[in-house]
Structure formats: structure tokens, C-alpha cells
Amino acid sequence: MVEYIDPMRAIALSLYQKPTTDAEVASQLCFLTDLPAEETLSFLSTLTSDNKGVLVSPLDQRLSWFKRLPIDPTSFVFQPVTPHIPVRLANPASFVYVTTFRCAFNCKYCYAERRIGGHIELDLPQIDKIAQDCAESGCVGMQLSGGDPFARKDIIEVIDAFLCRGIHVQTSTKSILGRRVLERLSEIGLRQIQFSVDSLDGQYSQYMLGFQDHGKAIRDQVELASSLGIRVKTVTVLTPYNIGHLPELGEAMISAGTGKVIFTSYGRSLYRHSDELFISPEERRRAEHIVKGLQDKHPDAEVRLNARADHTELSDIEREKAFVSRARCTAGRESLVIYPNADVGFCESIPLDFFRIGNLAEQSLISLWQSDTMMELVQPPREKYLGTACFDCATFDECTRRGRCLRDSIKATGTAWAPDPRCHNVRQKRTRLT
């Protein structure tokens, strides 16, 4: 069996080259990632628990027939050919499939495009062809998105079309699925699912998404999914109005069987946005304290807070350090987006109206991946930035190699061909993102 894992887990597993302890590996991982020691130990505890068949205990070393097969990190870490050519895969490793723009909810913080009607959705035979195209193009993973994927009545058959071709499926939903749907998901081999949940407080849930008992319904759903062997992750968007709900919510999700509880701060959306939903530095520190308490009380669960200081809060030196060490953009380098009508786009968070690469009814996935339209987004010519700070910048080619966040440029300026608002060289008014 081959499992698709993220780079962080791959790096951590590669550190188990000889009989060692989690503490020793945590020390090395802290050095590599700058993560806090306690957070790293918690991460490794979950990792080793999930990979008992991969990691071997010291007792197993005494078995005469045992032959250790070390994981060589050079097998999955590679360097660009030259400093000025982006690291880009020959074929997409993964993709986001926006199955529908429909959603039963109307969340005030939603980052996704939502349309009530008037858009085309592929039927199952068309989806089956696309699933085959994706498999033949070398894709190994996908993220189902929307709207809400479970707004489609045939979503189980959609998931099965990709799973049966060996494509690892990740999906998230806010929907209340019910026993039969979860049983069918387990039967077809879905091994993990993400539930979005805001609070157990009915008044807050009613205000944020229009469903008073949503949090309690999700708690019951987590318990049922876990009993069916489906690993559950919950994600909660933090706003000033639900920070105080986190202890109760975290406890409820963990006790129901959630393996990962993620709290992430509200971020600016291109579709719906309100400054009042940003959390303050004081509220972020309060969330850090709450999450630390949950981590200490539940060491076997992975509880994580994604709520770093926004770039507008940083000093010039801090901004430069943060920008230089920013994560690589994977859009067009490792992944792309497929929309309900088979259009192909660049980034899920950017409206299709900005960048339409083509349509899978007319071209294959690999031909669109290699198209001039896609490559111009991956390697935009300097001339597109004429009149901006990027045009004359000495690090223009380095930004091209690492990948610019076109999404954040659009959020800040309305155009993709503008500096990343987080860049330390940007002198104009700074736009808050998180």
C-alpha cells in the first residue's frame, strides 16, 4: 500500500534512521522547522502512533530475520536545476476538485465561491472520464471542495470514481451527513474526513451560518464517523466572537473521537469579508493559552493553532524574515483546480474569472498543465509588473522561483500583477490579510 503524506511527515519519518527516541528526533525537527519543542513532541507522538507498521521498536531489532530499510530523505527532497527556474513537477501531483458551487450554509467568513444556481455540473460519466485522465496524468491526491461537496446527491459515487483509481481523496464538509452516508463512505474506502465546526453555542452558530444546533450535530457526527473507522479532523475558524467557546468545543470534539483539532484565524476573503472578524493580538494570545491547555490535557490528540501575527503587526526586520522564509506556492507547480463544469484554474482561492487555463472536455489534464497559459502564471514575465516595485526588484527571479501569492496580491490591490502585500519592500499602505 502506498500512502500520500505531506512533506512535514515525510521529513520527520526520515529522521528515524536508527534506534532512537521521539525526544532525539524532536530535537532535530525543532532545529529544522523552528517549531516549539512541546508542539514538535506532540506532532511526533501522533505520527508514530499512526505509523506503527513503518517504525520499528528496539525489541524488533533483535529479530534475526529483520532487515531495516531506512528512508533516504534525498529520495523526496530535490533542488531546482538553476536558481532562476521554478521547482515544478512534470505533471500535477494533486488537484482541487470544486464539485459544486452549492452549499446549504451561508457562512459570514467563507473564502469559497458560492452560486445559488445557473452553473453547469458534470454528471457521473463525465466525472469518470476526468478521474481516468487525472490518474493517467500521474495525480496521486485530490481535495474535494465547493461550495460543499456533499451538496451533490451523488458525491459518494464521485469519491469512489477517484478512490478506485488509486487517487487519495481528502474532503471537507459542514453538512450533517447521517449514518447511511458515513457507512457508505467507509465501505468505499474513504479513510479520513474533515468537518468544519464553529461553536457549540447555538446563538453564535445561528449568527455565523444560520444553523443553531450545528455544533452539537457535528459532535455526534464525529463520534459516528470515528466508530466506523474514518479518521476525523475538525477545523474551526476563529473570530472575536468564538474565542471563549474554544475550551468547550475542543473538549467535545476530542471526546467524540477527533484525531486532529485545528483552530485557524479568520482571513480576508475575496467573496465575503468583514474587518470585524479579524482577531486582535490579545485574542490570539488568549487562543494560544487555550490551545496549550488542551494540548497538555490531551497529549494523544493533535491540537493545533494556525494564528500567526499578520504582516501588518510586524516590524520591518520581522517582515523581511517572515517573507524570505515564507512557504512555497504550489499552484501551477504541484497542483491545479478543476471546476464544476470541467474548467481548469490556477488557485482555488482565486475566482475563475481571473485565470481560466482551459477545459477538460477539450484538452487533457497534462496538456493544460504544460500549456503556455499555465506557464505564464508560473513564470510571469517582468513586463507584467511594469510600474510596480516588482519590476525593478533585484529579487524578482527569486520570487518567480519560489512562487508569488497571486491570491494575496488580488486581495490587496484587485490585480494579480502587483507585489505580494507581505513583501518587506512594499512601501504603500499595507492590507491586513489575517
Side-chain angles (χ1 to χ4, degrees), residues 217-285:
I218 290 291
R219 179 191 59 197
D220 296 341
Q221 186 161 271
V222 167
E223 192 170 295
L224 178 56
S226 299
S227 72
L228 294 169
I230 301 175
R231 296 195 304 271
V232 177
K233 175 171 74 172
T234 59
V235 173
T236 300
V237 175
L238 302 186
T239 72
Y241 308 110
N242 69 341
I243 295 287
H245 306 169
L246 300 193
E248 181 188 18
L249 180 62
E251 291 285 354
M253 294 302 117
I254 293 170
S255 64
T258 304
K260 292 183 182 179
V261 178
I262 311 297
F263 301 111
T264 185
S265 58
Y266 167 76
R268 182 179 294 274
S269 169
L270 286 168
Y271 299 102
R272 312 180 171 83
H273 170 67
S274 173
D275 281 355
E276 72 174 35
L277 298 180
F278 284 133
I279 63 172
S280 67
E282 294 75 19
E283 288 162 339
R284 184 174 64 249
R285 286 190 287 272

Side-chain angles (χ1 to χ4, degrees), residues 46-64:
T46 303
L47 180 72
T48 53
S49 175
D50 290 345
N51 292 275
K52 290 179 180 177
V54 176
L55 303 175
V56 181
S57 71
L59 288 176
D60 293 322
Q61 302 288 344
R62 297 199 297 264
L63 299 177
S64 60

